[in-house]
Amino acid sequence: QVQLVESGGGLVQAGGSLRLSCEASGRTFSSNTMAWFRQAPGKEREFVASISWSGGYTYYADSVKGRFTISRDKAKMTMSLQMNRLEPEDTAVYYCAAGSYGSWERDYNYWGPGTQVTVSS
């Protein structure tokens, strides 16, 4: 069992930066692929980025590639998402997830409650 809690969301102007964090608890954290998803108002939840259990492999959605960086600290049981050059289109609730490798919601068994990110133009 893995419990996840996100933090770091907020309001930022376009072009600015935010860093999201996900704190995990549970014995299986280190063996899970971790990911960020987001859901904008009126839209389906979409994949943002994932990182392997070792931290050696990362994968990004095309819309955030080059602007966002995912990382994890297994010792501290945390995962982060550094978001730079934010755009209004990045406005969404961001979710931390843990599971097996993939970019689909069904690949992930555990989810945090989400944190709101709002980017003003």
Side-chain angles (χ1 to χ4, degrees):
Q1 189 79 8
V2 176
Q3 293 80 43
L4 306 170
V5 179
E6 306 92 340
S7 62
L11 174 64
V12 64
Q13 287 190 329
S17 298
L18 277 176
R19 185 177 182 87
L20 304 183
S21 294
C22 174
E23 292 191 27
S25 59
R27 296 166 139 191
T28 60
F29 170 78
S30 63
S31 64
N32 280 274
T33 292
M34 301 290 294
W36 290 97
F37 284 75
R38 67 186 181 185
Q39 186 168 21
K43 295 187 177 181
E44 294 187 351
R45 190 151 54 181
E46 64 175 5
F47 172 81
V48 174
S50 64
I51 186 166
S52 63
W53 68 270
S54 67
Y57 294 95
T58 58
Y59 183 65
Y60 296 92
D62 288 343
S63 59
V64 306
K65 202 173 294 183
R67 300 188 298 124
F68 291 9
T69 302
I70 190 172
S71 59
R72 71 188 293 175
D73 184 328
K74 289 199 293 181
K76 295 182 180 178
M77 297 183 70
T78 60
M79 177 180 67
S80 297
L81 185 70
Q82 178 65 42
M83 306 186 294
N84 298 328
R85 291 185 282 136
L86 283 160
E87 303 167 354
E89 293 73 23
D90 296 317
T91 294
V93 176
Y94 283 70
Y95 298 91
C96 170
S100 57
Y101 179 79
S103 58
W104 300 96
E105 287 187 64
R106 63 174 179 261
D107 297 320
Y108 297 89
N109 308 104
Y110 306 104
W111 294 84
T115 186
Q116 176 71 46
V117 171
T118 302
V119 184
S120 63
S121 57

